[in-house]
Structures are given as C-alpha cells and as structure tokens.
Amino acid sequence: MSRKGRSKHSKVSADDLLLDDHVGKFPSNRKNLVNISHLVEYTLPNDYSSNNRPLNKRLPRPRRRSDSVHLSNMEYINVNFKFIVNSTGDFRAQVLDPNVPLKQRDILRVIISKNDAQCPICLNEEPIAPRMIKCGHVLCFSCLLRFLELDSTKQCPLCASIIKENEVLPVLISQVDNRFDAPRANEFLSLHLMHRPSNDILALPYQFELSEEGGVNGHRPENFPWYSEAHQQFYQYARILKADPLFSIQCYEKEIEFIHTNYEEDKLLYNENDIYCQKAIDKIRSLINDERKSMESSPDDISNSYDSSFSKLINDTENLQLQDLMVKQYEKQDQSGYFFYQTSFNSKIKFFLSPLDISVIKAIYGDNFSLFPLVLSLKLQDITYETVLPDFLKKHKYLSHLPIGSEIGFLDVEWFEEKGKTFRSILPTQVFQRFKKQLLERAKRTSQRNKREEKNRVKFEKELEQKTLEFYASENNRSLGDYGLASIATRETPTLDSSLIEKSDTNIDLENAVTTVWGTKIIQRSDNIEEPEEDWHMEPLLQQAREKELQKHLKKRSKKKRNQ
C-alpha cells in the first residue's frame, strides 16, 4: 500500500518497524526504492529445514579451539628452537618460568635443524652465515642485507612480518634432520627414566645421576649446561646451553670463511662482484670486536669449564654397567622431584610415555618412581599428539619445564607379544586383569583407525589414477578404453568350477584343501590357472598411449611429404 492510500488511523505493523531498523531510512525519491517483497515468501532449503532433523538430535556446537595457542615473535622462537647463550648473562627468570623469552643480547646462537634451514631468497638449503628474523624464518646474511637495502617494505618474503636488522639472531645449523629422528609405529624404542628436581627446568636420564660423580655426591649438572660437541648425548635433553664469548668469536670467524669461499665461487661461475658479501664480512668483524671487548671487561677464565664435573659424569655413566646403576638406584631411593619416561630422539616434538602405560608400570613396581626400570624397551603401538597449555599442565605437572605451546607426543606401547596367530600379554596376571579392558579397547581403536587410514589411502590412489587417465584421455581426444580402463570394468570374478569335485568320488584328499571364512573346504585344481595380468597400471598405459600418439604423428608427416 502506498503512503497516500493510508488513512490517518492506520497502524504500522511491528514487521515494518523491524524492516526499517535493518534497512535504514528510505530515500526521499521513490524511484530509488527496491522492491524486496519476494523475500517474504523465501523458504530455506530442505537440508536446512528443522522438520528433517530428528527431535532428539541437537545441533552441533562449534568446537572450542582449546588445543591451539597463538605465538608470535620471540614467543614462537622460544618454544620451537634451542639456544646457546652467553655464560655471563642472568637467567634466573627462565628457571622460574620457561615461558619468559631470552634477551636478545644474551643469545649467542639459535640452534635449528637442517630441514628448517633454507634461504627463501637464494633458495640455498645451506644458508651462508644464517640469520633468523623475529618471525622464525632463516636467511643468508648477505641475502638479508641485499633485501633490506633493495626492498622498500622491509617485510619477510614468506610471512610479511617487519624485518629490523638489529633484531636478527645468529643461527647454528644442526646436522640432525628432525623429520626422520622420530619414533615409528610397530617398532621397538628405548624409553629412559628421567628425573627433574622440583625447582629445575632440566630433566636428565636418572642413570646419569647414579654415577660416582653424579647425584650421589650432589654434583648434578646445572639447569643450563655448557655447549660442547663432545657431549652431544647430554645437550639433546637441554633447551638452553651456555658458552663463553670465545665460542661466539669462533663461529663468526667460520662465517667469514664461508662467505669468502661462496663469494669466490660465484665470481668464478657467474663473474659477479657481490658487494653485499663484503658488507656482511664487515658487519661480522664489527661483532667480533664487540665480543673481544666484552671478554676484556670480564677477565674470569671460563673457557675450560666444559671439561669439569660433567665430562666425568658422562664418562663414568658410560663405563658403569646398567646392573651396577640399578644397585646404586636401590641404595639411593630418591623420591624428590618428578620421574617420567622420555625418548632420546633429537626432534622438536618431545615424546613421553602415556599416562595409561605409566599406571601399568606403577602397578608393577609400586609407588616409588625412583625404583622404576632405568630403560624400557617396548614396541610402539600409537602416538597421540598434544599441545602444552595451562590446563594441560595442571594434569601433567611433571611437564611444567616445557614452555606453553610446545608440541609433545604421548607414546602408547604394546603390552602383548605375538605367538603364532595369537597374542599373549607380557604383564603379570593381576596387572593385566586390572587394565585388560583399557588396553584391549586402545588396541582395538588403534587397529580400526589404521585399517580406515589404509582403506582411505588405497581409495585415494585409485581416484588419483582415474583422474589422471581421464585427463590424458580428454587431452588426447581418446576414450578411457584406450588406456585399459574398459578391461577393468568388464573383468569378471572367476566362478567355482563344478568339475573340481566329483560327486561319485568319496575318497577326497582334504589335506590340500583350502578352508574358507565360513569353515568349508575347497579342493584346488591340480592344473595351473593363469591369473589375469595386472596390465592396467598407470605408467605402462601412459607410455603405451604416448607411443601410439607418436606413431600417428609420424604417419601424418610421411603422408604430407608424399603429397608434396
């Protein structure tokens, strides 16, 4: 109804008021009005209709993102990498709270694995004098200087975060590839009994403390051990390691050698005179001078601290047999601190024994965690990945030395051994009966998931093969039968030949018979039946199609030459 046709006493409906609130004021010119009356009769599709939904079924609630945490800048670097810090720095804040990032001036090197080291500018998998920007990406020092001078935005080429030259961190590349240094399902692994005092953030294998120079005499290594290449088995458990300025100077001098060598190679191959290599060398020499000045200001000689009590600790632990350590373990019986099982893999993700398996071990060996086996060698069943969050730490206080946001994995181990076609528990009878339901449910759940994943993998490969053949068929204007798919569709399953068993023959040899899933016996034919060859794989078919196309192309060319 138009406004002129309304009477003075006509009432405006509530729907009109709501519509005015949503649409806004109407323009004074009625030519600009848009008729939306068709929306009044709009109905939702059947899929969204509430009538099709069962009455007892609630709408799904949005999942809470409780398993994720946002990390940026130094928080991200603090969680995902290891550090070599200046021994003269003050790190009491990191002992109290592992989430406190280190100060930039105290960081001598950031340790990364070689699979994380690739310069996004020159695409070199081994960056020369690598530097880490605050977003965590690594660049060559000369590439970084070139990028900062030529690029006006000064943003990271990968994530567009702002780059500041005074905020970059020197990097030490480890030769360990984290992608392959991780536990695998259905393989045996070694789990070490770890011990961490309540006020420390360094967890070490308990067998280290049982040596004569270890925890018995109160000489447990400190929270931030010294970095030394001779003690690699020790610092794989530490997140922060110490070094003196002399170590930093040696690293800078090696970087100068690498940059100079790379400069000479590029000049010989490409005849280029890269000025940024010389700029990088000049800046590194300036950093060396700063380190030498800091060494002069602190005259204490700490360069020989690597070979102190810890070197004796490792050597004595290697020389002592495991049985001798177990004797010392029972003599000590230290119940202070936290005890847990951890693997010795050099990966970013730390792997620990699952809570259920810890309960099983506790039921066997009692409540004194210090008397648990020093090393467990068990078969891995499955891995459950978790993210360290505040609520997570309330349940697992023994992992409070890890910063929030760390990725960890709980290892489910196999408590059954295979004997023929049956499985037998390796646990004591009483313990097995106590945890039988939980262990069997976990094994069943893992088996079902593995079968489902394998089925999806096979299905995906077949779909990928089908799509690839369809693509080549459409590109070459051919049918799928030319690629062998017709033979697959028409292939029939061979039926059981009635001549296999004669009714009049009562003397049937059932020793060579095959038992079906229903328990019946089937006699196999004596003659060899040739199975159809699987000649429909993708690569041979594609090669055959290419050869046919080539032959047709050559025939057409020969005809054209004859006609000419």
Side-chain angles (χ1 to χ4, degrees):
M1 181 185 293
S2 62
R3 292 180 182 268
K4 292 182 180 180
R6 292 180 183 175
S7 62
K8 294 182 180 180
H9 300 285
S10 62
K11 296 182 180 180
V12 181
S13 64
D15 294 338
D16 295 334
L17 292 175
L18 292 174
L19 184 62
D20 291 345
D21 293 337
H22 285 286
V23 177
K25 295 183 179 179
F26 287 95
S28 58
N29 189 2
R30 296 188 58 83
K31 293 182 180 180
N32 296 330
L33 289 176
V34 179
N35 186 8
I36 60 173
S37 59
H38 63 282
L39 298 177
V40 178
E41 299 179 357
Y42 176 76
T43 57
L44 291 171
N46 293 331
D47 296 340
Y48 296 93
S49 178
S50 59
N51 296 328
N52 296 331
R53 179 169 50 87
L55 297 177
N56 58 351
K57 185 176 180 180
R58 298 182 179 180
L59 291 174
R61 296 181 180 179
R63 293 184 61 184
R64 295 177 59 186
R65 299 282 298 180
S66 60
D67 57 343
S68 61
V69 59
H70 177 70
L71 301 173
S72 61
N73 300 339
M74 283 301 298
E75 293 179 351
Y76 173 81
I77 297 175
N78 181 58
V79 169
N80 290 279
F81 302 101
K82 293 185 177 183
F83 303 91
I84 302 176
V85 297
N86 196 334
S87 58
T88 60
D90 185 9
F91 308 105
R92 287 175 293 181
Q94 283 73 27
V95 175
L96 298 176
D97 187 3
N99 300 298
V100 177
L102 295 166
K103 297 179 181 178
Q104 183 180 352
R105 64 173 181 268
D106 294 331
I107 300 176
L108 299 181
R109 293 280 151 172
V110 180
I111 303 176
I112 67 173
S113 61
K114 63 179 182 180
N115 57 293
D116 293 331
Q118 183 179 18
C119 179
I121 297 178
C122 66
L123 302 180
N124 190 356
E125 294 183 355
E126 296 181 0
I128 309 300
R131 294 293 184 271
M132 179 180 289
I133 52 183
K134 64 179 183 180
C135 58
H137 294 122
V138 179
L139 297 84
C140 300
F141 195 21
S142 58
C143 295
L144 176 63
L145 297 177
R146 182 188 295 107
F147 181 78
L148 292 176
E149 185 170 334
L150 300 180
D151 187 86
S152 58
T153 60
K154 293 181 174 54
Q155 295 179 350
C156 175
L158 296 178
C159 64
S161 61
I162 302 301
I163 301 176
K164 296 181 181 179
E165 185 179 351
N166 58 349
E167 294 181 352
V168 298
L169 300 171
V171 172
L172 178 65
I173 300 176
S174 173
Q175 296 303 315
V176 177
D177 195 338
N178 292 335
R179 296 172 295 180
F180 303 103
D181 196 8
R184 298 178 182 177
N186 299 323
E187 292 185 0
F188 283 88
L189 52 84
S190 297
L191 292 158
H192 296 273
L193 180 64
M194 309 292 291
H195 176 229
R196 180 177 67 86
S198 303
N199 298 325
D200 290 4
I201 63 171
L202 178 62
L204 293 175
Y206 191 46
Q207 62 191 56
F208 285 0
E209 302 183 25
L210 298 177
S211 66
E212 295 180 357
E213 295 294 332
V216 174
N217 295 331
H219 297 294
R220 187 182 188 275
E222 53 188 355
N223 284 307
F224 307 112
W226 288 92
Y227 175 79
S228 175
E229 294 182 357
H231 304 148
Q232 293 183 1
Q233 60 175 344
F234 175 76
Y235 67 76
Q236 63 180 335
Y237 301 105
R239 192 173 62 89
I240 302 175
L241 303 121
K242 290 193 305 183
D244 58 353
L246 182 61
F247 167 79
S248 181
I249 293 175
Q250 293 174 355
C251 292
Y252 285 137
E253 290 176 349
K254 290 181 180 179
E255 288 182 347
I256 293 177
E257 294 178 3
F258 292 151
I259 294 175
H260 184 72
T261 303
N262 185 66
Y263 171 77
E264 295 295 334
E265 291 178 355
D266 290 345
K267 187 176 181 181
L268 182 62
L269 294 175
Y270 309 108
N271 195 18
E272 292 182 356
N273 188 11
D274 193 355
I275 60 174
Y276 297 99
C277 289
Q278 187 60 40
K279 289 184 178 181
I281 291 175
D282 294 339
K283 290 183 177 293
I284 292 176
R285 286 175 177 169
S286 177
L287 294 173
I288 292 176
N289 294 331
D290 295 340
E291 292 291 348
R292 287 175 176 169
K293 291 180 181 178
S294 65
M295 291 180 64
E296 294 176 357
S297 61
S298 55
D300 296 336
D301 186 13
I302 57 176
S303 60
N304 295 325
S305 300
Y306 301 115
D307 299 325
S308 57
S309 61
F310 172 66
S311 61
K312 299 179 181 178
L313 170 64
I314 294 296
N315 294 331
D316 292 339
T317 304
E318 292 177 347
N319 295 330
L320 284 173
Q321 298 294 329
L322 191 60
Q323 295 180 355
D324 297 335
L325 293 177
M326 292 175 63
V327 173
K328 293 181 176 296
Q329 180 182 9
Y330 277 87
E331 292 177 354
K332 186 179 181 182
Q333 293 193 15
D334 185 9
Q335 299 186 22
S336 62
Y338 300 100
F339 290 87
F340 53 91
Y341 282 100
Q342 179 182 345
T343 61
S344 58
F345 292 102
N346 286 311
S347 59
K348 282 185 179 180
I349 302 177
K350 302 300 180 183
F351 297 96
F352 305 91
L353 191 62
S354 66
L356 176 59
D357 297 311
I358 292 178
S359 300
V360 172
I361 298 176
K362 186 178 178 181
I364 300 174
Y365 294 96
D367 296 334
N368 193 345
F369 291 91
S370 63
L371 298 180
F372 281 11
L374 296 176
V375 180
L376 289 177
S377 180
L378 295 170
K379 189 177 182 180
L380 178 61
Q381 183 183 91
D382 193 19
I383 304 176
T384 303
Y385 293 93
E386 298 282 352
T387 303
V388 176
L389 297 172
D391 294 337
F392 176 85
L393 293 178
K394 293 179 181 178
K395 300 179 181 178
H396 309 281
K397 294 182 179 180
Y398 61 92
L399 299 178
S400 59
H401 62 289
L402 301 176
I404 293 177
S406 301
E407 297 291 334
I408 67 168
F410 281 129
L411 304 177
D412 299 333
V413 296
E414 190 73 64
W415 295 105
F416 303 92
E417 61 179 1
E418 185 176 359
K419 283 197 173 183
K421 296 183 179 180
T422 60
F423 291 89
R424 187 177 66 88
S425 173
I426 61 176
L427 297 173
T429 305
Q430 296 179 353
V431 177
F432 176 70
Q433 293 298 329
R434 177 180 174 184
F435 297 95
K436 178 180 179 180
K437 183 179 179 181
Q438 294 172 309
L439 294 176
L440 292 179
E441 287 180 354
R442 187 178 71 178
K444 182 180 179 181
R445 185 169 57 250
T446 303
S447 177
Q448 291 177 350
R449 184 176 65 252
N450 293 337
K451 291 180 180 179
R452 184 170 59 251
E453 292 176 354
E454 180 65 18
K455 183 179 179 181
N456 294 335
R457 184 190 65 82
V458 174
K459 181 180 178 181
F460 172 76
E461 290 180 353
K462 290 183 178 180
E463 291 178 354
L464 181 62
E465 182 179 357
Q466 175 77 16
K467 292 179 181 179
T468 305
L469 293 176
E470 290 176 354
F471 170 76
Y472 278 101
S474 61
E475 289 292 322
N476 299 323
N477 296 324
R478 288 184 167 275
S479 63
L480 293 177
D482 296 336
Y483 295 93
L485 289 184
S487 62
I488 302 173
T490 59
R491 183 180 297 155
E492 297 181 357
T493 304
T495 58
L496 181 63
D497 194 351
S498 60
S499 63
L500 291 177
I501 303 177
E502 297 180 358
K503 295 183 179 179
S504 60
D505 188 6
T506 57
N507 296 325
I508 299 176
D509 185 12
L510 297 179
E511 293 181 357
N512 299 324
V514 179
T515 304
T516 64
V517 294
W518 297 279
T520 58
K521 300 287 185 177
I522 297 178
I523 306 301
Q524 292 183 334
R525 296 182 64 174
S526 59
D527 55 341
N528 296 327
I529 302 176
E530 295 183 358
E531 295 291 336
E533 296 181 358
E534 301 290 339
D535 56 349
W536 48 274
H537 290 291
M538 183 172 59
E539 289 298 332
L541 294 175
L542 295 179
Q543 183 66 24
Q544 185 179 0
R546 294 192 191 99
E547 292 177 357
K548 290 182 179 180
E549 291 294 331
L550 181 59
Q551 291 177 1
K552 287 186 177 181
H553 181 67
L554 293 176
K555 289 181 180 180
K556 290 181 180 180
R557 290 185 60 183
S558 61
K559 288 182 180 180
K560 289 181 180 180
K561 289 182 179 180
R562 291 175 184 175
N563 295 332
Q564 292 177 358

